[in-house]
Amino acid sequence: MFRMHKTVGRSIFLLVFGVFGILTGNAQEQAAEERFSFGNISPVILPKDGLEVTATGNLTSYWVTSQFGKVVLDRYRISRSENYLNLNYGFSESGRWDLGVQVRYSRLRLDENARNSPFKVFGSPDATGIGYQSISTVGLRVRALPFENIPEFTLQGAVHFPVAKDMETRSFLGADRIQPELTATYFKNLSPDFYLYLQGRYLLQIANEDHDQTTHFPGLSAFLVKSFLDQKLYVFPGLSWLGAYEQNYQGGRLVSEAQFVMVSLGAQVQPLSYLGVFLNAQRPLYYKSGLSFYSDLVKSSYSDWSLGLRFIL
């Protein structure tokens, strides 16, 4: 039967958690007449009494080696499913800010058989793997245009609170600490059908009595967006960097736990003015771990898919 110490589970989570953030933190902007949308954080500020609903599902899977130094002892699969529901409402008469809530439902499967399908994360635990699932976090969000003369630039802040039923589930789902985040986005039209989208993001997992160190996840993303068919179809290749850092001891310097450079390709269909559907895939171009002595992620095995819907009501 698959066995994995909880500390190792946390270490592996540090290698990959922020990658979900880079994917699910990508966005939409009013420069394309509020049509282009991608992911889980939308930088369009809603008008007074406007309502936005987004739902995003993400499936990530990869192999991890169990090793001692350079000697590989075993290999297994980790699969994660992250599902987000966001509701945002326009309170501001000026259209400079709005507020929202987010609910995240997470699934994790630790699979002894590395050749098993990633889709087993949606099934029940069996003889070859164990699993965890729960509503993992509930969060509050605020979006704002800090500079009225630069509508392309948006700041967003959020705080996510862990709500999973027990500490073991919280730990393996990566939701055992309060998580504040700050995101800056910039969406600029380069021509009538070409757009540049930039994002910077910083997420923290705040130390608590169960995990006495704060973990830092900085990230940067850049996408080129091309529209087709009178802005009913968008294609957007992208490149992202993410780091994971933590102190080895209280008061010590931040030590790199992981570094990723991800390449992605996505597409969005806008069949109706109030409805957008997107699909995105990404893989690592570069990966380096600071936790690889006992376990390490196999870069070539990594796959990540995301599917999302957005409604404006």
Side-chain angles (χ1 to χ4, degrees):
M1 179 60 187
F2 185 95
R3 295 181 180 179
M4 184 176 185
H5 192 277
K6 190 180 299 184
T7 302
V8 177
R10 286 174 176 165
S11 298
I12 294 170
F13 166 73
L14 291 174
L15 300 179
V16 298
F17 174 80
V19 177
F20 309 133
I22 284 181
L23 177 61
T24 60
N26 293 321
Q28 147 230 2
E29 175 51 280
Q30 57 197 163
E33 296 184 5
E34 301 186 354
R35 288 175 174 262
F36 174 69
S37 65
F38 172 54
N40 191 15
I41 299 177
S42 164
V44 166
I45 307 301
L46 295 171
K48 184 71 167 64
D49 297 324
L51 179 65
E52 178 188 64
V53 182
T54 61
T56 306
N58 173 254
L59 176 61
T60 304
S61 191
Y62 48 89
W63 292 346
V64 173
T65 58
S66 174
Q67 60 193 55
F68 186 79
K70 298 296 184 181
V71 180
V72 176
L73 306 176
D74 199 2
R75 184 179 63 187
Y76 46 90
R77 178 181 292 277
I78 294 182
S79 299
R80 301 182 64 99
S81 171
E82 300 287 356
N83 302 277
Y84 301 85
L85 177 64
N86 291 329
L87 301 175
N88 280 81
Y89 186 79
F91 289 91
S92 169
E93 295 283 357
S94 66
R96 295 281 301 277
W97 60 273
D98 60 27
L99 296 175
V101 296
Q102 180 190 91
V103 178
R104 176 165 67 110
Y105 185 88
S106 304
R107 292 175 179 263
L108 172 72
R109 179 179 170 90
L110 310 173
D111 207 321
E112 185 179 13
N113 186 350
R115 297 290 182 179
N116 275 348
S117 168
F119 293 101
K120 294 195 75 171
V121 71
F122 299 109
S124 300
D126 55 29
T128 63
I130 60 175
Y132 299 86
Q133 59 180 308
S134 177
I135 296 177
S136 52
T137 62
V138 174
L140 301 175
R141 293 179 175 273
V142 58
R143 303 186 296 202
L145 290 173
F147 308 110
E148 190 173 6
N149 61 337
I150 312 179
E152 300 88 354
F153 180 72
T154 308
L155 283 179
Q156 305 182 52
V159 181
H160 308 279
F161 301 92
V163 296
K165 56 188 176 181
D166 58 72
M167 183 47 62
E168 181 176 332
T169 300
R170 292 185 182 194
S171 177
F172 276 95
L173 293 181
D176 57 347
R177 291 170 282 171
I178 293 174
Q179 301 170 8
E181 66 172 306
L182 180 65
T183 304
T185 60
Y186 184 79
F187 194 105
K188 180 68 174 178
N189 55 317
L190 304 177
S191 73
D193 295 321
F194 266 106
Y195 309 89
L196 173 66
Y197 171 67
L198 304 175
Q199 177 180 282
R201 181 171 179 265
Y202 206 101
L203 183 144
L204 297 173
Q205 290 185 306
I206 302 296
N208 58 21
E209 59 184 12
D210 298 300
H211 194 130
D212 60 1
Q213 300 294 336
T214 295
T215 310
H216 301 250
F217 295 100
L220 297 171
S221 302
F223 292 83
L224 282 176
V225 181
K226 176 69 169 70
S227 68
F228 300 91
L229 305 176
D230 194 26
Q231 296 188 347
K232 288 184 169 56
L233 171 66
Y234 297 86
V235 177
F236 41 95
L239 195 65
S240 303
W241 165 83
L242 177 107
Y245 298 86
E246 192 173 271
Q247 294 171 318
N248 288 335
Y249 56 89
Q250 194 70 32
R253 67 181 181 88
L254 290 177
V255 176
S256 175
E257 306 246 320
Q259 303 283 330
F260 286 91
V261 175
M262 309 292 290
V263 62
S264 66
L265 179 62
Q268 178 196 308
V269 178
Q270 187 82 24
L272 302 169
S273 62
Y274 56 84
L275 172 64
V277 182
F278 79 86
L279 177 68
N280 189 78
Q282 66 175 0
R283 293 182 63 87
L285 280 180
Y286 171 82
Y287 160 71
K288 181 178 181 180
S289 171
L291 305 170
S292 59
F293 190 81
Y294 294 106
S295 63
D296 201 11
L297 181 152
V298 180
K299 181 169 73 75
S300 60
S301 72
Y302 188 100
S303 65
D304 190 299
W305 295 86
S306 187
L307 177 66
L309 301 173
R310 172 182 174 260
F311 298 88
I312 293 290
L313 305 174

